[in-house]
Amino acid sequence: MKTFFATLALGLTGILSMTAFAAPAHAEDKKAVPIHVRGSIVTYAGSTLRVKTREGETVDVAFADDWKVASVAEAKVTDIKPGDFVGIASLPKAGGGDGALEVLIFPPAMKGLGEGSYGWDLKPDSSMTNATVADAVKGVDGRTVTVTYHGKEKKIAIPDGTPVVTIAAAAKDDLVPGAVVFITAEKAATGPIAHQVVVGKNGVVPPM
């Protein structure tokens, strides 16, 4: 498994310099801020991916010259170990602290990618935290992960049923009708232009 991740990471590091999991650009650089398209593939033909978004509209997504594709593979909460680098989308809990919406375990070669905690658009008021796991302990309310980034610390509870995934390989042939996608794109007058596509495979869908 370690060999697999090392080999896979070498090929995917370029893909996942992806702004999909990176911190947003500086406020003054509005054009660099990526947009996300979440939905299911309707058709894939030539240089256009037609997607029915989670909001119910159909959009045509063009591909940038350097676009890449990846997928996700299922992982478990117990796979999260101290020292791992993770990306966790979360929401504030009513009783304080944050509760995870999903967890991405990065392969070791991607450690440090987009480090920080910032606003995310998975759900209203959600945030994304890319950070190193300091400890993972079993508590009365389930598993709580303590992560650190830029000298800061954050505790995030991971409720039962929270999707936990890691990065996996994919090919353009995986872009089939019905497949669930998470797309990082730039906004253009003609519509979104995709730089990275994360596609669901083998029953595992991108939870980001």
Side-chain angles (χ1 to χ4, degrees):
M1 183 62 72
K2 288 182 179 178
T3 302
F4 167 78
F5 275 135
T7 304
L8 178 63
L10 285 174
L12 291 179
T13 300
I15 295 174
L16 294 179
S17 59
M18 67 195 312
T19 45
F21 308 110
H26 292 100
E28 63 270 17
D29 190 10
K30 299 290 187 183
K31 292 181 181 178
V33 177
I35 61 172
H36 299 137
V37 178
R38 298 174 174 89
S40 300
I41 296 173
V42 178
T43 58
Y44 168 42
S47 59
T48 302
L49 191 66
R50 179 164 289 177
V51 176
K52 184 173 183 180
T53 71
R54 65 175 183 176
E55 291 79 20
E57 58 183 324
T58 300
V59 298
D60 286 340
V61 181
F63 294 113
D65 292 339
D66 61 347
W67 78 281
K68 305 293 183 182
V69 61
S71 68
V72 287
E74 189 173 12
K76 298 177 292 186
V77 170
T78 51
D79 293 330
I80 303 170
K81 302 292 191 295
D84 284 348
F85 192 73
V86 296
I88 305 178
S90 63
L91 277 174
K93 297 193 303 178
D98 274 32
L101 298 170
E102 58 84 25
V103 180
L104 171 68
I105 305 172
F106 286 100
M110 298 178 191
K111 187 168 185 175
L113 181 66
E115 183 176 356
S117 189
Y118 37 85
W120 195 242
D121 57 1
L122 181 58
K123 289 188 176 183
D125 300 320
S126 63
S127 62
M128 174 63 74
T129 303
N130 283 11
T132 300
V133 177
D135 59 55
V137 296
K138 189 75 175 178
V140 294
D141 296 320
R143 187 172 294 276
T144 298
V145 174
T146 301
V147 296
T148 59
Y149 58 94
H150 299 318
K152 299 179 181 179
E153 183 178 281
K154 187 173 185 178
K155 293 183 183 294
I156 304 175
I158 305 177
D160 289 342
T162 301
V164 181
V165 298
T166 189
I167 300 299
K172 295 176 183 179
D173 289 345
D174 295 312
L175 301 178
V176 297
V180 177
V181 289
F182 170 76
I183 301 171
T184 301
E186 62 180 284
K187 192 173 183 178
T190 54
I193 300 176
H195 289 274
Q196 295 91 19
V197 178
V198 182
V199 60
K201 285 180 60 177
N202 303 319
V204 185
V205 301
M208 297 79 74

